[in-house]
Amino acid sequence: MFQNVLIAEDQNTINKGVERTLNELNIPNVITAQYCDDALLKLKAALRIDLPFNLLITDLSFKADHRKRTLTSGEELIEAVKAIQPDLKIIVFSVEHRIGKIKSLIDTYDIDAYVEKGREESIELKKAIHTILEDKMYCSPSIAQLLRNVDDISQTDLYDELLLQLLAKGLKREQIANYFKEKDFPARSLSSIEKRINKLKVLFDAHTSEQLIAIAIDRGLI
């Protein structure tokens, strides 16, 4: 079991809940930080005295307040941590569910687990800890299901993503076709635009353009 765990979370009530969960696992040393800068300082201090943390549990979103910050998000903290302690186990504990964002964290920073905040979060945290102790990656079931569908994203290209962005801004199909013509993009006729939109609807199982945009936002494409 992990011996030294650092929690980076700006909400005190959530901090206390995670601490209780870790206490139930008999983890002897649990330290909390409400700012990413403080979390990094604690990690550095632990390394200096040769008592490094074994696990970091961090949120992604940290609200701004009166204090000046260098690191403003969990992602920035993870990047900084990987630079000084690349073998540190990391659990992201967040409400973020955009699959594009989550996949980026996994691909870029090689995080060890992603646990979605919610009703079963204590159970999921315990499962994540036991799983990564076996050097396996863990995701909450809802996130794991989204990741299984991530091939959908790989089937879109840059023009599809631009098309979705323009739709989300409220542009009509004719306006999008004109924009593509101005930029000399391929498949810029109105019929081509219609075909692209229909392809994306099939790909993402969307029945309307509004639903398509909502799904694209949810999956981190726009």
Side-chain angles (χ1 to χ4, degrees):
M1 184 52 68
F2 295 111
Q3 298 299 304
N4 300 311
V5 179
L6 177 62
I7 306 167
E9 166 62 59
D10 62 357
Q11 300 297 315
N12 191 52
T13 53
I14 297 175
N15 260 328
K16 295 298 183 184
V18 177
E19 281 188 88
R20 283 194 298 271
T21 299
L22 299 182
N23 288 336
E24 291 170 5
L25 293 174
N26 297 315
I27 294 174
N29 187 38
V30 179
I31 304 297
T32 64
Q34 290 185 294
Y35 295 89
C36 294
D37 292 330
D38 290 349
L40 185 61
L41 287 174
K42 291 176 188 292
L43 283 159
K44 288 180 176 178
L47 284 171
R48 280 197 297 270
I49 62 173
D50 201 26
L51 288 172
F53 286 99
N54 317 117
L55 173 66
L56 168 66
I57 301 174
T58 182
D59 196 358
L60 292 177
S61 177
F62 290 77
K63 290 184 178 179
D65 59 15
H66 62 281
R67 178 170 165 174
K68 185 178 180 181
R69 301 177 296 165
T70 301
L71 303 175
T72 61
S73 70
E75 185 173 357
E76 291 178 359
L77 172 62
I78 292 169
E79 182 179 9
V81 166
K82 284 292 186 177
I84 62 170
Q85 193 177 346
D87 59 341
L88 179 66
K89 299 289 187 182
I90 297 176
I91 296 176
V92 172
F93 182 51
S94 175
V95 296
E96 174 66 70
H97 64 280
R98 291 177 297 168
I99 195 60
K101 182 70 171 178
I102 296 168
K103 189 173 186 301
S104 175
L105 288 169
I106 295 170
D107 293 344
T108 305
Y109 303 111
D110 196 27
I111 63 171
D112 298 278
Y114 190 97
V115 176
E116 191 173 22
K117 290 180 180 178
R119 194 168 296 169
E120 303 294 327
E121 61 188 34
S122 178
I123 295 171
E124 294 300 324
L125 275 172
K126 290 178 182 178
K127 287 180 180 178
I129 289 169
H130 285 298
T131 300
I132 66 178
L133 278 169
E134 298 176 359
D135 290 322
K136 298 177 182 177
M137 207 273 177
Y138 181 87
C139 285
S140 295
S142 59
I143 300 300
Q145 180 60 49
L146 287 173
L147 285 170
R148 282 192 286 271
N149 295 332
V150 80
D151 284 344
D152 291 352
I153 292 176
S154 66
Q155 293 180 45
T156 64
D157 58 28
L158 293 175
Y159 295 115
D160 290 328
E161 292 177 22
L162 176 58
L163 174 57
L164 289 167
Q165 292 168 11
L166 295 174
L167 280 174
K169 290 179 179 178
L171 270 68
K172 304 294 185 184
R173 287 161 171 75
E174 294 83 358
Q175 293 173 304
I176 295 172
N178 288 333
Y179 180 85
F180 273 36
K181 287 175 185 176
E182 290 172 5
K183 299 295 183 181
D184 198 27
F185 291 156
R188 54 188 180 267
S189 68
L190 181 57
S191 62
S192 295
I193 299 298
E194 292 283 1
K195 287 177 182 177
R196 279 181 178 268
I197 292 173
N198 289 333
K199 182 200 79 170
L200 290 167
K201 284 180 180 178
V202 171
L203 191 60
F204 293 112
D205 193 26
H207 300 291
T208 66
S209 295
E210 290 76 14
Q211 188 180 13
L212 175 62
I213 292 166
I215 293 171
I217 292 172
D218 189 56
R219 297 195 180 186
L221 282 172
I222 56 176

